[in-house]
Amino acid sequence: MTTHLSRRTLLGLAGAGAGAYLLSACSGDDKSSDPNAPQTINWWHIQNTEPMLPVWAAMANEYKSAHSNVTFTIQPLENEAFKAKLTTATQAGDPPDLFQSWGGGVLKQQVDAGLVKDLTDDVQDLVKGILPAAMEPYTIDGKIYGIPFDIGMVGFWYNKELFTRAGITQTPTTWNGVLDAVRKLKAAGITPVALAGKDKWPAHFYWSYLAMRIGGVDALQKAVDSKNFDTPDLVAAGERLKELVDLQPFQKGFLGAEFGSPDGQAATMGNGNAGMELMGQWAPAVQASSSTSKKGLGDKLGFFPFPSVDGGKGAATEVFGGGNGFAVGKDAPAATIDFLKFLLNVENQKRSAQTGAVLPTVTEATSAISDANNKAVAEALAKNTGFQLYLDQAYAPALGQQINDSVAELIAGKKQPAAIVKDITQVAKTV
């Protein structure tokens, strides 16, 4: 996805587009099991703008300085470009040495294909200090295949100034309250909601959360287990989403908008041109980097959890979200796992947290969270009574993609709520 995470490339550090950023020349024998042999770590990540792009680069440089036999080839990639490039690499059986992962069904597919290393024995000391909930998406059949560096949740980010201008005095606590806020924002001449319709994954957040609030967090698990999404609760989720769509709340041209482009969802929020967006914990950082000022909304930005649905079985404390992590490719050089441990040490997790773009997974580093909105996310996450990973990562890739496609069709007015669950079910039966 989410994270999530589409951003423009910072040209001064990453080179033109999403090309490789070379910290030093590559060597030819980097697959040796000898830890002292010359090694090059091919590292792909999606932190391709400030604030995290220079932080990752600095950490790689520091590691290289302390390990003269290790060099890096780093490719910072926009989220969708990363997914496409990784799919090509994994289909060819040649994954990068270290690469972004959200865990879940996508990682399981990579495990089943023998594309990633089993890290269980190598990271026992490291995982003792990591929040247990953060490890769940990376633990498959009792073994560890990835390490999370960030964890969080999806919720509503809103412009306090625009809410006040529209006469909204309290953040919504029910779905009907969200719809009322949309009406008030429209009446005040304000675009209520920013959405990246082209990217699709941001839209699936709405349907997923509504499914959880209406059917409870178990509704989605039961659907995937039974291979049947055509249930009253999941149809109702689409119907409630259609209530929002029918209000025409999104910015002009939203169907062609990307998340992190100059005129995309994050920029629309960061430039103060929309009342709210539904997005993960990375939202403030991407709003800032995508905005004209490069500062975003600052103190004008607020956060509230996805509210309850009247009559629903799900609690407002049930959370939809996930985090960012790294998996290690099957042929990665010996230094790769050691470098991963370096990235996740307490001091480096604190450095990451201090940027405001990362909610750390290492328990000792949580004291470094200083941003008020990040603290609000962390507090809401700490109170969760149920957790659901992003569906396009939790499920097999084909099923996750169908959910994204189907929700996009609903939002575009091409299909009705009852039709999309039939399409999703058809794919669920094949995976």
Side-chain angles (χ1 to χ4, degrees), residues 174-189:
T174 66
W175 180 245
N176 286 336
V178 171
L179 301 180
D180 287 342
V182 167
R183 295 185 186 100
K184 289 180 179 179
L185 288 163
K186 288 197 75 170

Side-chain angles (χ1 to χ4, degrees), residues 257-303:
E258 298 173 339
F259 176 54
S261 60
D263 59 350
Q265 176 175 333
T268 301
M269 278 297 298
N271 289 327
N273 295 327
M276 55 184 157
E277 68 169 337
L278 183 63
M279 191 48 58
Q281 68 275 12
W282 56 86
V286 191
Q287 289 174 14
S289 65
S290 301
S291 67
T292 302
S293 68
K294 303 302 178 187
K295 296 179 180 179
L297 296 177
D299 292 341
K300 297 177 184 177
L301 185 67
F303 173 84

Side-chain angles (χ1 to χ4, degrees), residues 11 73 97 113 169 225 248 255 265 272 328 338 345 348 420:
L11 298 180
T73 301
D97 299 320
T169 57
D225 288 345
Q248 299 182 347
L255 287 174
Q265 176 175 333
V328 177
D338 187 60
N345 70 34
N348 282 335
I420 69 166

Side-chain angles (χ1 to χ4, degrees), residues 107 111 116-119 138 140 143-147 326-328:
L107 180 59
V111 169
V116 293
K117 285 186 180 292
D118 177 352
L119 306 178
Y138 302 89
I140 298 169
K143 295 183 178 180
I144 298 168
Y145 292 94
I147 297 294
F326 290 114
V328 177

